[in-house]
Amino acid sequence: QVQLAESGGGSVQSGGSLRLSCTASGSIAAIIKMGWYRQLPGQQRELVATSTSDQITEYADSVKGRFSISRDNIKNTVYLQMNSLKPEDTAVYYCWSYILSGLVQRPYWGQGTQVTVSS
């Protein structure tokens, strides 16, 4: 069994910064990709940023230049540094990871952490 544990959400004023962390634990053979999605009320979950084990990254256009994703492969941890936050960044942020556990590759999700940006 695999678990993703997130931390670092909270409330901040517009222009502020937050750092999210997510650590994968359990029966992990390999972590292929890790990243972050977010979901606003009544909307579909959307990609924020992802990173492969080789640190190849992908970002949503809305966060490019403001957010930075990084990984610590030793700790099975992914970070999301969020700078210049805007009220429209307010959402529940979910950690996501594509993991090989045993002989099965599949996506896993964290429980979500709230990020609130006030104007």
Side-chain angles (χ1 to χ4, degrees):
Q1 198 169 359
V2 173
Q3 297 85 35
L4 299 181
E6 301 150 334
S7 62
S11 298
V12 66
Q13 288 193 326
S14 182
S17 298
L18 284 173
R19 189 192 194 207
L20 305 182
S21 301
C22 172
T23 298
S25 62
S27 181
I28 297 171
I31 298 179
I32 297 142
K33 209 169 187 179
M34 297 188 84
W36 297 90
Y37 284 69
R38 65 187 183 187
Q39 187 168 22
L40 283 70
Q43 296 190 23
Q44 287 191 327
R45 204 169 289 188
E46 63 179 19
L47 179 144
V48 176
T50 62
S51 175
T52 67
S53 56
D54 296 329
Q55 309 286 355
I56 297 172
T57 58
E58 177 185 8
Y59 293 93
D61 288 342
S62 59
V63 307
K64 283 180 181 176
R66 300 188 299 121
F67 291 11
S68 178
I69 188 170
S70 59
R71 283 178 60 172
D72 184 330
N73 291 330
I74 301 298
K75 296 181 179 179
N76 289 343
T77 298
V78 63
Y79 305 96
L80 185 68
Q81 179 66 44
M82 303 184 293
N83 299 327
S84 302
L85 281 161
K86 305 175 181 179
E88 51 263 44
D89 294 318
T90 295
V92 178
Y93 284 70
Y94 293 92
C95 180
W96 170 90
S97 186
Y98 201 76
I99 292 174
L100 175 63
S101 179
L103 299 177
V104 178
Q105 295 183 25
R106 52 154 286 194
Y108 292 86
W109 293 92
Q111 78 283 0
T113 185
Q114 178 69 45
V115 171
T116 301
V117 185
S118 58
S119 57

